Amino acid sequence: MTRTSIAPIKAAITAVGSYVPEEVLTNQDLEQMVDTNDEWIQTRTGIRERRIAKSPSHATGYMATMAALNLCEKNNIDPKSIDLVLVATITPDYQVSSTAPYVASQIGATSAFAYDLSAACSGFLYGISTAAAYISSGQYQRVLLIGADKMSSIVDYSDRTTCIIFGDGAGAVLFEASKNAYGFESAVHGSNGIGRDYLNIHDGGSLHPVNENTFKEKNHLVRQEGRTVFKYAVKHMSEASNKVLEKHALTHEDINYMIAHQANKRILDATAQQLGIANEKVLTNIERYGNTTAATLPLLLSDYETEFKKGDKLLFTAFGGGFTWGAAYLTWNYDIKN
Ligand code: COA
């Protein structure tokens, strides 16, 4: 009896799209709102400005829809051919219902099922593993993964320790079976429930439902203990990245680009330094967008898509509320189609 071995299906990113609101909130604007200054923000975070979706109707679902339409239009993708729409977000349009089905309907992905994925700033990274698993198992052929957050809807613009960091935006990628040797290679994930004491929205969940003091105390808005989050972020992003590199017998020199969550430029620098990754390989958009939570990684892919060459080795890493974190290794699948 002869045995034929079937090569596993490798999932690859085959298209990218994005959307950021037009409205810009600069450090100078923030100087008028809280006790801060441009110099402090730039030196302590690397952020110059961020985008804010001012229109109330431009919520996460709208931004995710715009990013998905941008992807479909740029790459001539028929939305009806999409099997699954995943939206990574912590700012859904409604607490109940899921935002992804709305997005799927808006773009005309009539054959798709859709759901949200909630892992804060690690949401898109976890979504990469989820999308890749659906493709590799042969269960679905086209998975649209979107990272989108309207952080301005949960930020306290009187708290200088949080309002300077966050911005709004959305990015989308399409996963399909790779037609060459390139695509998703593997990922390492981690989490630690201790994190919910250091980064949370206190009220509005099942533990602390909204009560008569919620709005008075601003407990419906995001709070963090920045210094603690900073330390955990550097430790876990560098450890997870090292594990992924070791798994593939790679060194920092083999990596073409590090695509890391953009929470603070100093977190990025410290993580890259621990990994020995050269500055020019560390992609950034934090100076223009701030921390866009689940949108950060796909926005980076969109911003730098023209730089990537087929076969480039990309190291993704992220850290977020929960705590949640991880790293993923992908080989880039295509040269840009002009
Ligand atoms: N403008 C001016 N001064 C500020 C300020 C602001 N926007 N925010 C804080 N400060 C002050 C503090 O009050 C403190 O003053 P003090 O020394 O007189 O007490 C001083 O700056 C240092 O505060 P500290 O909290 O140690 O600053 P930091 O260097 O850690 O920067 C963060 C604060 C929030 C920018 C930083 O901790 C951070 O980025 N943490 C990670 C956040 C993160 O990743 N969150 C998302 C999860 S993915």
Side-chain angles (χ1 to χ4, degrees):
M1 200 170 76
T2 51
R3 266 204 178 155
T4 48
S5 65
I6 301 166
I9 303 168
K10 187 178 273 189
I13 293 174
T14 56
V16 176
S18 65
Y19 171 82
V20 288
E22 277 173 24
E23 299 91 346
V24 175
L25 182 70
T26 64
N27 291 348
Q28 287 75 16
D29 295 330
L30 286 164
E31 285 176 4
Q32 309 305 312
M33 298 158 71
V34 288
D35 180 15
T36 191
N37 60 77
D38 176 47
E39 206 249 327
W40 192 95
I41 301 174
Q42 289 215 38
T43 52
R44 303 306 291 168
T45 71
I47 303 167
R48 230 180 27 239
E49 59 188 41
R50 62 292 286 143
R51 300 300 179 97
I52 302 293
K54 287 212 170 126
S55 164
S57 65
H58 290 183
T60 295
Y62 170 85
M63 295 193 294
T65 299
M66 296 300 278
L69 288 176
N70 175 251
L71 178 151
C72 291
E73 280 157 19
K74 255 179 30 187
N75 297 279
N76 211 13
I77 303 289
D78 178 1
K80 291 191 188 64
S81 69
I82 295 168
D83 301 305
L84 165 60
V85 177
L86 284 172
V87 175
T89 187
I90 52 163
T91 52
D93 284 7
Y94 293 100
Q95 286 306 324
V96 180
S97 305
S98 216
T99 299
Y102 168 78
V103 176
S105 296
Q106 288 297 107
I107 65 170
T110 46
S111 316
F113 78 111
Y115 63 89
D116 291 358
L117 198 159
S118 174
C121 298
S122 306
F124 186 84
L125 184 86
Y126 288 9
I128 289 177
S129 291
T130 308
Y134 277 124
I135 302 287
S136 295
S137 67
Q139 207 175 349
Y140 298 109
Q141 277 70 53
R142 282 191 153 175
V143 178
L144 181 66
L145 170 62
I146 304 168
D149 269 303
K150 183 168 177 169
M151 293 305 292
S152 61
S153 67
I154 55 167
V155 163
D156 176 358
Y157 284 97
S158 66
D159 173 8
R160 68 177 182 171
T161 67
T162 51
C163 74
I164 55 154
I165 295 173
F166 294 105
D168 302 336
V173 302
L174 187 67
F175 272 93
E176 296 176 274
S178 174
K179 292 198 172 64
N180 51 41
Y182 304 123
F184 174 78
E185 307 292 346
S186 77
V188 166
H189 304 301
S191 64
N192 184 346
I194 195 179
R196 73 182 192 172
D197 294 335
Y198 300 110
L199 176 55
N200 65 33
I201 292 180
H202 194 268
D203 287 6
S206 58
L207 184 59
H208 302 288
V210 172
N211 59 66
E212 62 280 7
N213 292 321
T214 296
F215 300 103
K216 210 164 55 196
E217 290 162 9
K218 297 189 177 170
N219 282 339
H220 59 303
L221 300 173
V222 73
R223 294 268 175 260
Q224 66 171 353
E225 204 179 293
R227 266 188 234 186
T228 309
V229 178
F230 192 111
K231 284 182 202 145
Y232 276 97
V234 175
K235 173 180 156 57
H236 287 303
M237 287 203 291
S238 50
E239 280 179 7
S241 298
N242 265 327
K243 280 186 190 157
V244 168
L245 294 180
E246 275 167 26
K247 236 169 120 174
H248 293 273
L250 296 168
T251 74
H252 58 89
E253 283 172 4
D254 298 313
I255 295 301
N256 296 96
Y257 297 104
M258 180 171 120
I259 300 175
H261 180 59
Q262 314 269 300
N264 185 318
K265 180 70 168 55
R266 291 185 297 127
I267 293 179
L268 280 179
D269 292 343
T271 305
Q273 199 185 4
Q274 296 224 358
L275 293 167
I277 293 184
N279 280 344
E280 60 272 18
K281 293 182 177 179
V282 181
L283 304 186
T284 66
N285 59 14
I286 190 168
E287 56 287 345
R288 286 173 293 132
Y289 300 149
N291 178 355
T292 51
T293 305
T296 291
L297 298 184
L299 280 175
L300 280 169
L301 288 176
S302 177
D303 286 346
Y304 290 92
E305 187 187 15
T306 53
E307 309 276 323
F308 301 146
K309 301 272 175 300
K310 200 190 283 185
D312 274 353
K313 296 180 172 67
L314 309 185
L315 175 67
F316 291 74
T317 186
F319 180 89
F323 293 129
T324 56
W325 65 84
Y329 169 48
L330 274 88
T331 42
W332 191 248
N333 175 256
Y334 61 90
D335 292 323
I336 193 75
K337 314 133 201 172
N338 289 312

